[in-house]
Amino acid sequence: MYLETLGYHGVIEFIDEACSRSCFKVRRDEHGQEYGVIRIGSDIYPGKNVINPNASLDMMCALCHEYTHYIRWENKMELSSDIFEEIITSLQAIANCRDKLNTRQLEQLSSDALYRLMEYIRYIENPAEGDNK
């Protein structure tokens, strides 16, 4: 599996639901101990939305992104701001996975981070527009 090639040997959940989202989640076991889970949903397969780089990330890029969320959580580096966490995670995924990804995949992750930053800038310039999304 791709995640093992990245060095991840933790919990992986495969979600067999239409329109399910891949993500990184923190869970607690029966003793209250936190552990990370990478959830793999139907969105892991790239879409055709060329406007939104997040929808066009290939599977390896998406997995690198979620794996980097795990690393950031494990190292207590998560940011409280969701949008900045997503931006930094895509950028850090480039560094974490650069030897496993080709040039096009690295560009996809860069585009994802830039797209999210531009969306944030558009939102702060016109917050009322963000309410309609």
Side-chain angles (χ1 to χ4, degrees), residues 20-74:
S20 58
R21 293 184 49 114
S22 299
C23 61
F24 173 75
K25 295 278 188 190
V26 177
R27 300 273 171 78
R28 291 187 185 275
D29 64 17
E30 62 275 4
H31 306 292
Q33 186 70 27
E34 288 186 338
Y35 65 97
V37 176
I38 293 178
R39 298 181 71 199
I40 308 298
S42 60
D43 70 336
I44 201 74
Y45 300 102
K48 296 181 171 141
N49 184 349
V50 294
I51 301 301
N52 180 346
N54 190 44
S56 62
L57 289 178
D58 73 14
M59 186 181 298
M60 189 64 170
C61 289
L63 291 173
C64 284
H65 179 91
E66 298 308 334
Y67 171 66
T68 301
H69 275 300
Y70 168 76
I71 291 171
R72 293 180 56 73
W73 169 76
E74 189 175 58

Side-chain angles (χ1 to χ4, degrees), residues 99-126:
D99 59 334
K100 305 280 194 260
L101 301 175
N102 62 41
T103 302
R104 178 68 190 120
Q105 292 168 318
L106 296 172
E107 290 170 353
Q108 287 177 17
L109 286 166
S110 297
S111 293
D112 180 59
L114 183 58
Y115 175 80
R116 291 172 191 267
L117 182 58
M118 290 179 352
E119 284 292 295
Y120 176 74
I121 291 168
R122 274 194 286 275
Y123 172 74
I124 61 173
E125 289 176 346
N126 189 1

Side-chain angles (χ1 to χ4, degrees), residues 68 89-99 101 106 109-110:
T68 301
T89 297
S90 281
L91 293 173
Q92 191 173 345
I94 294 167
N96 292 342
C97 305
R98 69 184 171 277
D99 59 334
L101 301 175
L106 296 172
L109 286 166
S110 297

